[in-house]
């Protein structure tokens, strides 16, 4: 499993797991969120949540948030 980072139109940067239905290993979204400014840009796969958060802070401005679907606190412990 890996993590992906993507900026959102709201200015937030969101972190997803590769298994997230919104992410699909970096191939998801686009049509779902209808990002018109640039294309939806997914980060390369990141091995850990810590790395993903560091990547988000280094590459994007604004708030870094975790996806509520795949990275909800309960989901993290469900493995
Ligand atoms: Zn997600």
């Amino acid at each position: 499993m890996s993590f992906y980072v993507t900026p959102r139109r709201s200015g937030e940067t969101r972190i997803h797991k590769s298994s997230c239905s919104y992410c699909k290993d970096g191939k998801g979204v686009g049509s779902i969120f209808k990002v018109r400014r640039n294309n939806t840009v997914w980060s390369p796969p990141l091995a850990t949540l810590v790395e993903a958060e560091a990547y988000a802070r280094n590459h994007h401005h604004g708030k870094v948030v975790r996806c509520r679907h795949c990275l909800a606190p309960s989901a993290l412990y469900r493995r």
Side-chain angles (χ1 to χ4, degrees):
M1 190 192 65
S2 49
F3 295 87
Y4 291 83
V5 173
T6 188
R8 305 195 70 228
R9 265 193 302 176
S10 60
E12 289 178 340
T13 300
R14 186 157 294 188
I15 299 170
H16 292 273
K17 284 202 288 203
S18 56
S19 57
C20 179
S21 59
Y22 288 102
C23 175
K24 291 180 180 150
D25 286 316
K27 298 181 202 79
V29 168
S31 58
I32 295 170
F33 290 122
K34 294 194 172 101
V35 176
R36 296 196 181 100
R37 184 177 52 129
N38 306 324
N39 294 314
T40 304
V41 181
W42 289 92
S43 70
L46 298 153
T48 64
L49 186 56
V50 173
E51 276 181 48
E53 289 184 330
Y55 182 96
R57 289 201 194 91
N58 288 337
H59 291 79
H60 303 290
H61 302 288
K63 208 167 129 193
V64 177
V65 296
R66 297 175 187 186
C67 174
R68 281 197 208 104
H69 295 274
C70 59
L71 289 172
S74 57
L76 283 175
Y77 295 105
R78 207 183 290 150
R79 282 183 243 154

